[in-house]
């Protein structure tokens, strides 16, 4: 155990009082970490305020002991692993709950944690920290309380970021390319491990021929899943799709495409409260894209709830912008054609109507850059221990060889 100075640094807001911060290197998925997260889960699920925020409730549900034990079974070598030590986290500013997942992933990997929470004001952040602190204050989790701290400070204060980087054994940095690059430039320990979550984009590939429009329950389930992927995080998450690739001939699938989008617009209109500023931003984005020859044809605005515009072939889709219900669309004759749009920034492909065998075959037989994840439609936001190509428990711990 190592004692380090983290408290009483000018300009830092601390969310709990600690006299000494102890750094520990524990076995991944240790019983104390699992028990702690399970008690946090119970606290969140019992709280009526948690149900107002789907992302917060999702985190609580993920932390259930039964889920964590299932995850532990995927790591049979944990008895030979130890955490790296102190993990310094910088959470993304625009996604409220990511800091909690980042903390949980590292805690389960056997680390102590210093977590800078989002700079933007989110009610979910305050609620989550209250749940964490409430559980930490119980006597049986005194060791966890002494080795984990949530903080906030002005992101422009390089001296603070530099100091925390210098004492960390690993850094988990979320944000845009420029902000992560700057944080990465601060000197760290020689053997410090960096896990970097930078600007990424995601798409959906939908095979409309596989959807039975006459099956009301199937259509409703499809639309709800489609809506959740796009709208739940205001389309700000790196895994939220911005481009829809329709699989099949444009002429053959146009009727189903029209029905799908009309049902999505109807569902979004009744469930997503759109602000006038969001509509203005979407209109501006659409005009800029058209002026720069990134899109073509008619721009469907749907009273502001969902903008849909067709891509010009050859557009670098990683540079497309838009959120709060802004979709680009394109048509693919076959799944393999997605490789022509893929680059190192493509993270998640959500899919519908594509057999898993076809996806495996595509991965095995193609040389492509990017694509870290295929997920069924409706699962875009389901963050897990493997993210952006990192197996986090193995990346954030070390293995001890026994010969």
């Amino acid at each position: 155990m190592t004692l380090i100075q983290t408290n009483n640094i000018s300009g830092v807001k601390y969310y709990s009082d600690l006299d000494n911060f102890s750094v520990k290197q524990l076995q991944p998925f240790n019983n104390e970490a699992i028990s702690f997260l399970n008690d946090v889960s119970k606290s969140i699920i019992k709280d009526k305020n948690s149900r107002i925020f789907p992302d917060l409730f999702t985190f609580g549900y993920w932390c259930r002991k039964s889920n964590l034990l299932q995850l532990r079974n995927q790591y049979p070598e944990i008895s030979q692993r130890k955490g790296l030590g102190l993990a310094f986290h910088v959470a993304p500013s625009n996604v409220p709950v990511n800091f909690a997942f980042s903390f949980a992933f590292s805690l389960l990997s056997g680390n102590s944690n210093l977590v800078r929470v989002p700079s933007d004001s989110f009610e979910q952040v305050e609620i989550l920290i209250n749940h964490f602190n409430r559980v930490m204050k119980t006597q049986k989790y005194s060791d966890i309380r002494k080795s984990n701290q949530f903080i906030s400070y002005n992101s422009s204060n390089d001296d603070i970021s530099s100091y925390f980087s210098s004492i960390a054994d690993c850094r988990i940095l979320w944000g845009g390319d420029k902000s992560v690059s700057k944080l990465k430039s601060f000197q760290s320990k020689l053997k410090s491990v960096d896990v970097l979550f930078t600007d990424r984009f995601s798409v959906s590939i939908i095979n409309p021929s596989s959807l039975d429009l006459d099956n009301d329950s199937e259509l409703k389930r499809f639309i709800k899943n489609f809506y959740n992927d796009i709208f739940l995080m205001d389309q700000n998450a790196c895994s939220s799709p911005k481009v829809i690739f329709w699989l099949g001939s444009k002429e053959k699938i146009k009727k189903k495409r029209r029905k799908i989008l009309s049902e999505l617009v109807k569902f979004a209109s009744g469930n997503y409260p759109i602000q006038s500023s969001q509509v203005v931003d979407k209109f501006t984005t659409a005009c800029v894209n058209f002026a720069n020859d990134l899109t073509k044809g008619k721009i469907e605005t749907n009273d502001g709830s969902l903008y849909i515009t067709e891509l010009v072939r050859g557009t670098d889709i990683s540079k497309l912008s838009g959120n709060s219900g802004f979709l680009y669309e394109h048509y693919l004759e076959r799944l393999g054609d997605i490789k022509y749009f893929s680059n190192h920034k493509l993270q998640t492909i959500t899919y519908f109507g594509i057999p898993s065998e076809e996806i495996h075959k595509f991965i095995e037989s193609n040389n492509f850059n990017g694509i870290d994840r295929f997920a069924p439609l409706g699962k875009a936001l389901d963050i897990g221990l493997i993210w952006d190509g990192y197996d986090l428990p193995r990346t954030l711990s070390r293995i001890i060889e026994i010969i």
Side-chain angles (χ1 to χ4, degrees), residues 134-346:
R134 185 180 302 122
V135 177
M136 281 184 186
K137 286 178 181 178
T138 59
Q139 184 59 36
K140 66 176 179 175
Y141 297 125
S142 60
D143 286 344
I144 287 182
R145 185 177 65 84
K146 293 174 183 176
S147 57
N148 295 276
Q149 176 71 279
F150 298 98
I151 59 173
S152 63
Y153 61 88
N154 192 315
S155 60
S156 63
N157 194 321
D158 293 347
D159 290 338
I160 297 175
S161 295
S162 179
Y163 172 69
F164 288 143
S165 285
S166 71
I167 63 175
D169 299 293
C170 56
R171 298 183 295 185
I172 306 170
L173 309 177
W174 305 73
D177 289 353
K178 289 183 179 179
S179 61
V180 170
S181 180
K182 183 178 180 180
L183 288 163
K184 186 184 176 184
S185 71
F186 296 130
Q187 187 171 352
S188 59
K189 294 179 180 180
L190 283 175
K191 290 193 68 176
S192 177
V193 172
D194 284 343
V195 176
L196 310 177
F197 299 109
T198 54
D199 287 331
R200 305 299 299 274
F201 75 98
S202 296
V203 305
S204 284
I205 303 179
I206 295 174
N207 181 3
S209 300
S210 298
L211 181 64
D212 183 359
L213 296 180
D214 295 324
N215 187 324
D216 191 54
S217 61
E218 181 182 340
L219 179 60
K220 285 181 178 179
R221 183 167 59 250
F222 173 92
I223 295 300
K224 184 178 181 181
N225 287 338
F226 202 6
Y227 169 87
N228 287 344
D229 284 351
I230 298 166
F231 287 95
L232 282 190
M233 292 285 188
D234 294 325
Q235 217 176 351
N236 283 322
C238 57
S239 57
S240 300
K242 292 195 184 303
V243 182
I244 304 303
F245 288 102
W246 303 104
L247 197 57
S249 164
K250 185 175 183 178
E251 284 302 311
K252 289 182 179 179
I253 64 176
K254 64 180 181 181
K255 183 178 178 181
K256 283 195 171 184
R257 176 249 180 214
R258 186 163 54 247
K259 175 66 173 177
I260 288 169
L261 292 178
S262 67
E263 290 295 322
L264 179 61
V265 167
K266 189 187 303 182
F267 191 87
S269 298
N271 291 276
Y272 186 74
I274 193 78
Q275 306 296 319
S276 58
S277 59
Q278 292 173 305
V279 177
V280 171
D281 287 344
K282 287 193 279 189
F283 178 76
T284 303
T285 298
C287 292
V288 170
N289 287 337
F290 195 79
N292 290 326
D293 295 323
L294 301 176
T295 58
K296 63 181 181 179
K298 180 183 176 182
I299 301 171
E300 300 178 33
T301 61
N302 299 297
D303 295 324
S305 62
L306 180 67
Y307 270 55
I308 306 163
T309 182
E310 186 173 354
L311 280 177
V312 170
R313 187 176 181 85
T315 298
D316 181 354
I317 61 177
S318 68
K319 296 181 179 179
L320 297 174
S321 61
N323 56 28
S324 307
F326 195 109
L327 290 177
Y328 303 85
E329 63 177 357
H330 195 74
Y331 295 83
L332 299 177
E333 291 186 9
R334 60 188 68 84
L335 174 61
D337 291 342
I338 190 63
K339 67 183 179 182
Y340 301 115
F341 296 89
S342 178
N343 62 42
H344 69 285
K345 289 191 171 295
L346 177 53

Side-chain angles (χ1 to χ4, degrees), residues 73-86:
N73 289 337
Q74 299 173 20
Y75 297 87
E77 81 283 11
I78 57 172
S79 63
Q80 289 177 241
R81 285 192 170 273
K82 290 289 184 182
L84 298 176
L86 176 63

